[in-house]
Amino acid sequence: MIIHASFFIQSVPPALWYTLDMSTGTAAAHPNIAFIKYWGNRDHQLRIPSNGSISMNLEGLETQTTVKFDNLLKEDMLVWDEKIQKGNALKRVATVLDKVRTLSGESRFAKVKSNNNFPAGTGIASSASAFAALSLAASCAAGLNLNEAELSRIARLGSGSACRSVPAGFVEWQAGYDDYNSYAYSIAPEYHWNLADCIAVISKSHKTTSSEEGHALADSSQFQAVRIDNAIERLDICRKAIIEKDFDAFAEVTEFDSNMMHAVIMTSNPPVIYWQPATLQVIHEVIKMRKNGVQACYTIDAGPNVHVICNDGESSQISAHLKNISGVQEVITARPGGPAKCINLP
Ligand code: PMV
């Protein structure tokens, strides 16, 4: 059974609560692809971004996470894809758990077990879905009845883009200026626009510069200030294009924003180049497709893989075309996805 967190808390009569193990929670969330990108922070610790961003959740791809608070544990424990994780991954998970403990009064450490349904090493960033699922699972386990904005804020503490995987469909993260007003909300539900994301997987290996390191470098590029200054305008254009389903306006602003982010990345100190030869090959093919009347545009996150956004009706033809490009290992197609959800209720 799949159900929203708030609905779960409201719909289960308190008399039944004692029959449930209220110290365990399981939740699932989708990763997302940003059309207006988040790059750089005003506050690195709280992950308050330098600019707002807009994204779409990716249906079919999912992280599922179970959190159990347990008084036998002497510290938090993270099991990711069946392997025990330590170091920075565990530290980021503990930050989210600490926030949930503070809000709920829960004092026990937790065991966190997390799995993706997309194979590790497809090059698809999983931190957004992972921290969105973790925030919801931990809140459910601690018996918290949080609204979407509250959950989104907690997810942001683990990974900025995770705050956008909490609400449904097409989502905007308002940058805000402090912990309270920096969170994401839905601007249109997943069924609003039949888009598809054909992800051309070019490399499956881990990126050499993490997005966390990249955010810290952003201000060292002279182009970052210009990118931030114009972000409000790009957000307005993108939001309007999504609401009006205006593909041409959407394609123009999405490609421009991705190019701007990579211009900042390539000119930071030290410079970072995420692209590979096949990345450029796909970019040229997408431009060619559009000249031939196909509605498709590209956007690239902090890695070499290219997300080709198109109308769902044309996605199989586009996917077949992308597969033929030398250097493209596989193409994964995802459609707009729903919100983070609590699952496995009795
Ligand atoms: O949430 P992070 O720290 O993994 O950063 C995500 C950065 C990009 O994926 C490149 C852009 C975005 O807005 O998702």
Side-chain angles (χ1 to χ4, degrees):
M1 175 167 29
I2 297 188
I3 207 158
H4 285 244
S6 52
F7 179 74
F8 160 57
I9 303 291
Q10 284 151 22
S11 64
V12 178
L16 268 184
W17 284 19
Y18 72 95
T19 63
L20 311 176
D21 180 357
M22 293 305 286
S23 59
T24 302
T26 297
H30 302 298
N32 64 71
I33 177 65
F35 304 136
I36 303 298
K37 310 281 190 194
Y38 149 52
W39 198 250
N41 289 315
R42 275 171 184 228
D43 180 324
H44 288 295
Q45 209 189 342
L46 290 174
R47 299 182 208 274
I48 309 298
S50 303
N51 63 284
S53 51
I54 291 180
S55 61
M56 176 180 94
N57 289 346
L58 300 176
E59 197 210 9
L61 308 176
E62 184 176 282
T63 301
Q64 189 168 310
T65 300
T66 297
V67 173
K68 183 170 173 50
F69 291 103
D70 184 338
N71 51 17
L72 296 177
L73 291 171
K74 300 271 179 290
E75 57 183 359
D76 291 322
M77 186 182 168
L78 170 63
V79 183
W80 173 262
D81 278 336
E82 313 303 329
K83 285 183 219 89
I84 293 181
Q85 308 285 332
K86 301 268 180 199
N88 195 36
L90 178 62
K91 202 171 136 219
R92 287 169 75 173
V93 164
T95 303
V96 168
L97 293 172
D98 282 343
K99 183 71 183 182
V100 169
R101 280 187 281 255
T102 305
L103 291 173
S104 64
E106 172 63 68
S107 57
R108 291 170 291 178
F109 288 111
K111 178 172 179 182
V112 175
K113 208 168 174 295
S114 199
N115 286 296
N116 292 333
N117 75 347
F118 44 103
T122 47
I124 299 168
S126 57
S127 66
S129 48
F131 283 102
L134 171 67
S135 307
L136 184 48
S139 306
C140 289
L144 283 173
N145 182 10
L146 301 179
N147 64 33
E148 195 176 83
E150 289 167 322
L151 278 168
S152 176
R153 281 186 209 116
I154 299 176
R156 193 199 70 237
L157 298 174
S159 162
S161 56
C163 76
R164 296 189 312 241
S165 281
V166 172
F170 298 84
V171 175
E172 179 160 359
W173 173 10
Q174 67 172 34
Y177 46 84
D178 63 19
D179 185 46
Y180 185 72
N181 54 34
S182 186
Y183 62 90
Y185 47 84
S186 182
I187 54 172
E190 61 273 30
Y191 46 81
H192 167 70
W193 198 5
N194 292 335
L195 292 182
D197 179 4
C198 299
I199 309 163
V201 178
I202 286 162
S203 168
K204 297 185 177 183
S205 51
H206 276 292
K207 47 195 177 218
T208 43
T209 307
S210 69
S211 44
E212 205 170 25
E213 291 164 319
H215 292 302
L217 291 177
D219 287 335
S220 68
S221 164
Q222 294 178 17
F223 294 158
Q224 174 72 343
V226 180
R227 197 187 75 85
I228 301 307
D229 272 359
N230 298 332
I232 290 182
E233 200 182 315
R234 292 195 303 284
L235 287 163
D236 287 345
I237 295 170
C238 186
R239 190 187 313 108
K240 187 165 180 282
I242 290 172
I243 289 165
E244 293 175 358
K245 301 185 211 175
D246 177 347
F247 196 91
D248 293 343
F250 168 78
E252 191 181 343
V253 75
T254 296
E255 288 188 353
F256 183 65
D257 189 86
S258 173
N259 291 345
M260 273 196 122
M261 183 187 77
H262 284 275
V264 167
I265 290 172
M266 289 179 194
T267 54
S268 64
N269 184 13
V272 179
I273 298 179
Y274 286 118
W275 296 2
Q276 289 183 10
T279 310
L280 212 43
Q281 199 71 31
V282 175
I283 290 176
H284 284 300
E285 280 304 318
V286 172
I287 293 171
K288 214 189 285 170
M289 279 184 218
R290 217 171 36 251
K291 277 199 183 127
N292 291 333
V294 179
Q295 289 196 312
C297 66
Y298 65 82
T299 183
I300 304 159
D301 275 347
N305 303 331
V306 187
H307 293 249
V308 180
I309 314 297
C310 60
N311 286 308
D312 191 23
E314 291 177 309
S315 63
S316 2
Q317 182 202 337
I318 290 172
S319 164
H321 188 84
L322 295 173
K323 277 179 193 154
N324 282 332
I325 299 173
S326 143
V328 173
Q329 300 185 15
E330 65 175 307
V331 178
I332 296 170
T333 301
R335 293 164 183 93
K341 290 162 183 161
C342 260
I343 54 176
N344 288 351
L345 296 175

